[in-house]
Amino acid sequence: MADIMKVKTIKKRLKTIPNLPDYGKFCKTFKWTDAKKDVEWVDNRINAAYNAVDKHVKTWRKNKVALYWISETDEKKFTFFELHKLSNKFANVLKKLGIKKGDRVFIFLPRVPELYVSFLGTLKTGAIAGTMFAAFGSKALEDRLGDSGAKVLITNTELKSRVYEAKKNLPELKHIIIIDVDKPKISGEISYKAAMEKASDKFVAKQMHPEDYAFMLYTSGTTGRPKGVMHAHVAIIQEHATAKWVLDLKDDDVYWCTADPGWVTGIAYGILGSWSNGASSVVYEGRFEPEKWYDIIEKYRVTVWYTAPTAIRMLMRAGLKATRKYDFSSLRHICSVGEPLNPEPIFWGMKAFGLPFHDNWWQTETGGILIANYPCMDIRAGSMGKPIPGIKAAIVDDNGKKLGPHMEGNLAIIPPWPSMMRKIWKNEKKYKSYFMGKYYISGDRAWTDKDGYFWFIGRADDVIKTAGERVGPFEVESALIEHHAIAEAGVIGKPDPLRGEIIKAFIVLKVGFKPSKALEEDIKVFIKKRLAGHAYPREIEFMVALPKTQSGKIMRRMLKAKELGLPIGDTSTLEKY
Ligand code: ATP
Ligand code: MG
């Protein structure tokens, strides 16, 4: 299977010297103890929020813009000093409520400045922050707030009704801080504004034991019920290092991470790693609109952009023409994460922005980027790149035996690494199930080429076994979206008495195309020519949209459950579609 795709290499021509100029050479001598020195410690203790904001206040960055906040109607700027003072105030608000180290403080807000302030403030007190997508319904909230036993929730008037629907089942939730009311009428509710006004802007961030928890986050729920993943303050070492090596953040950058902090990317690279590097960051709170996104890049002179395959495919759907009205000359480095990045969007990126997207791979559980394409390294389109310095990744069989190049197996990593999850909240059994022998098993299937590039095949559960051959949904989907009429595709294995499974493709067409038998045939022929004969979808179903998580991942398990008439399972993270 590993060889079906024809590899295209993108040679790099760099205008600036990257933070990681020579990947191979650096890896040879690198040790995590080196990266440890790049973040700030106080008497062998550490605080991730202190590293993101407070440490800059002692330097020239004090009055540098940390946050360019943009909504559909408004724009605001916050310097590191302002964020420092606001998060100090919030830490004092929590202190007054008696919040202590280890208590869980959850945030249920759209991407407003209060989200960032309360996240940082929570970490400064030693409490554990949790984030939830503003689109979550009451069931998703109940699961997360109930499981975590959160004591405090920060939300707004619009969202709070969903919390109240679940409130009777949340005995541990004591305080609800509302950001947009002056005088709450319900007992247990607190006005953010009033509390912040009264609070002092002086607070000394608690320096923590490196292993103390900083935040917890539930996984995306793509493959099943979300798991509560715990991350320690010491993860800042890796968030910092990878933001430097992979995102290549430098002091004159304007950086835009499009991920919501309800998803791990929005925390590790939208708050902690990016600010720890002192980057001026853009946050956009508003509907997805290609032209609005282009406008932001142009207006704010964004230099480094970190986004996701779904967003890129949506931009592609809007067409190249829409990109031509804008000036993207500020961009110098663009990256993608969260789902496999098919080659097609990489080449489209080169046409639209003059740059290829750099794919990288990681998980909520890994806490930070583990495999990446670096600015200094040629891109093999469709590959996730190579392990970050300090990480040993391997392909292993189901017994934990290492496999050689070009063999499909489990993508596995040798622990530990600084941002590795410390546990799954209240589920030791689940935590243990990730490990086999000396390896952490990711749940993804992949292969390596002889030069050490890693190639994604699919989630372990999604790999299709058809007529004795194994086929990864990724390669079929990648080939499908090369077809001129296809915008998005999700592929599953459908049980078949003759072939074990057949490949079924769910397809969303580009604007201007209509489903038809002729188009279906054309697509089948197209794939047969592009991939091996066995890898074409025998069944095609046209859809208006694919089911996705809030973080934009195609939920193939839902496509499969629907197809087979099985229970749909946990849908708490399902995007409305
Ligand atoms: P759940 O664990 O609840 O099913 P999830 O795995 O989607 O949800 P995340 O931790 O947000 O939750 O996502 C990690 C997964 O996303 C990876 O295991 C992988 O399947 C996919 N992924 C992330 N980045 C990439 C990438 N660059 N290429 C391919 N897949 C990726
Ligand atoms: Mg997962």
Side-chain angles (χ1 to χ4, degrees), residues 305-354:
W305 185 28
Y306 193 19
T307 191
T310 295
I312 303 168
R313 287 193 298 262
M314 278 155 79
L315 296 175
M316 288 170 72
R317 206 175 172 198
L320 256 188
K321 212 169 142 207
T323 65
R324 296 297 182 233
K325 285 183 260 162
Y326 296 88
D327 172 11
F328 297 129
S329 60
S330 59
L331 285 175
R332 69 168 181 85
H333 185 45
I334 59 179
C335 304
S336 165
V337 72
E339 278 213 298
L341 182 67
N342 326 83
E344 191 63 10
I346 301 180
F347 295 114
W348 185 84
M350 292 172 78
K351 283 184 238 154
F353 311 109

Side-chain angles (χ1 to χ4, degrees), residues 219-223 227 263 338 340 359-360 363-364 444 459 553:
T219 55
S220 293
T222 315
T223 56
K227 303 154 280 256
W263 178 36
D359 187 24
N360 55 71
Q363 307 177 294
T364 310
D444 289 342
R459 310 269 186 158
K553 294 158 189 270

Side-chain angles (χ1 to χ4, degrees), residues 218-227 229 263-265 309 336-341 359-366 371 383-384 434 440 442-444 456-459 474 549 551 553 557 573:
Y218 288 81
T219 55
S220 293
T222 315
T223 56
R225 196 180 163 81
K227 303 154 280 256
V229 173
W263 178 36
V264 69
T265 307
S336 165
V337 72
E339 278 213 298
L341 182 67
D359 187 24
N360 55 71
W361 176 92
W362 58 295
Q363 307 177 294
T364 310
E365 294 91 331
T366 72
I371 298 177
S383 157
M384 304 186 286
Y434 283 92
Y440 163 84
S442 67
D444 289 342
F456 183 80
I457 289 170
R459 310 269 186 158
F474 173 48
T549 65
S551 47
K553 294 158 189 270
R557 72 174 159 95
T573 64

Side-chain angles (χ1 to χ4, degrees), residues 183-240:
K183 288 196 185 98
K185 293 190 184 71
I186 302 172
S187 117
E189 280 190 3
I190 296 162
S191 155
Y192 175 91
K193 273 190 216 153
M196 289 287 276
E197 251 161 46
K198 274 189 244 145
S200 157
D201 64 8
K202 306 269 183 306
F203 187 91
V204 180
K206 276 215 170 80
Q207 296 299 335
M208 310 296 290
H209 185 283
E211 291 300 315
D212 285 336
Y213 302 133
F215 68 93
M216 67 185 291
L217 195 66
Y218 288 81
T219 55
S220 293
T222 315
T223 56
R225 196 180 163 81
K227 303 154 280 256
V229 173
M230 307 303 294
H231 285 295
H233 277 272
V234 74
I236 191 70
I237 295 179
Q238 189 166 343
E239 291 151 359
H240 181 93

Side-chain angles (χ1 to χ4, degrees), residues 216-489:
M216 67 185 291
L217 195 66
Y218 288 81
T219 55
S220 293
T222 315
T223 56
R225 196 180 163 81
K227 303 154 280 256
V229 173
M230 307 303 294
H231 285 295
H233 277 272
V234 74
I236 191 70
I237 295 179
Q238 189 166 343
E239 291 151 359
H240 181 93
T242 45
K244 193 164 116 186
W245 301 328
V246 181
L247 305 175
D248 197 40
L249 292 178
K250 300 195 174 88
D251 251 316
D252 48 4
D253 279 316
V254 176
Y255 163 69
W256 185 20
C257 170
T258 62
D260 189 282
W263 178 36
V264 69
T265 307
I267 294 181
Y269 302 102
I271 300 179
L272 296 174
S274 38
W275 276 335
S276 176
N277 277 277
S280 296
S281 304
V282 168
V283 165
Y284 169 55
E285 163 50 33
R287 266 169 304 144
F288 175 84
E289 198 70 68
E291 305 229 334
K292 178 69 191 175
W293 277 36
Y294 297 150
D295 190 52
I296 290 172
I297 295 173
E298 180 180 88
K299 181 166 171 204
Y300 285 84
R301 307 288 300 152
V302 173
T303 56
V304 179
W305 185 28
Y306 193 19
T307 191
T310 295
I312 303 168
R313 287 193 298 262
M314 278 155 79
L315 296 175
M316 288 170 72
R317 206 175 172 198
L320 256 188
K321 212 169 142 207
T323 65
R324 296 297 182 233
K325 285 183 260 162
Y326 296 88
D327 172 11
F328 297 129
S329 60
S330 59
L331 285 175
R332 69 168 181 85
H333 185 45
I334 59 179
C335 304
S336 165
V337 72
E339 278 213 298
L341 182 67
N342 326 83
E344 191 63 10
I346 301 180
F347 295 114
W348 185 84
M350 292 172 78
K351 283 184 238 154
F353 311 109
L355 297 166
F357 284 102
H358 292 65
D359 187 24
N360 55 71
W361 176 92
W362 58 295
Q363 307 177 294
T364 310
E365 294 91 331
T366 72
I369 297 171
L370 289 192
I371 298 177
N373 285 283
Y374 310 89
C376 65
M377 201 171 83
D378 288 346
I379 293 176
R380 296 193 177 167
S383 157
M384 304 186 286
K386 296 189 184 185
I388 61 164
I391 285 292
K392 286 205 166 54
I395 304 298
V396 304
D397 70 11
D398 291 342
N399 300 313
K401 196 174 135 271
K402 192 172 174 198
L403 300 172
H406 291 270
M407 290 176 75
E408 182 213 322
N410 300 294
L411 173 52
I413 318 287
I414 300 181
W417 56 92
S419 66
M420 169 68 175
M421 66 169 161
R422 291 328 202 234
K423 73 172 181 185
I424 300 281
W425 189 250
K426 287 189 188 157
N427 197 342
E428 183 63 14
K429 197 167 146 225
K430 179 71 205 172
Y431 178 75
K432 286 199 173 128
S433 74
Y434 283 92
F435 301 92
M436 196 198 312
K438 65 174 181 177
Y439 292 107
Y440 163 84
I441 304 290
S442 67
D444 289 342
R445 306 282 291 183
W447 59 280
T448 53
D449 63 23
K450 62 178 188 346
D451 302 316
Y453 280 80
F454 280 73
W455 298 77
F456 183 80
I457 289 170
R459 310 269 186 158
D461 301 341
D462 291 341
V463 174
I464 303 160
K465 289 129 229 153
T466 182
E469 302 276 354
R470 293 170 65 83
V471 178
F474 173 48
E475 58 197 344
V476 183
E477 288 164 11
S478 291
L480 281 165
I481 66 165
E482 282 175 31
H483 187 280
H484 66 279
I486 298 178
E488 281 198 296

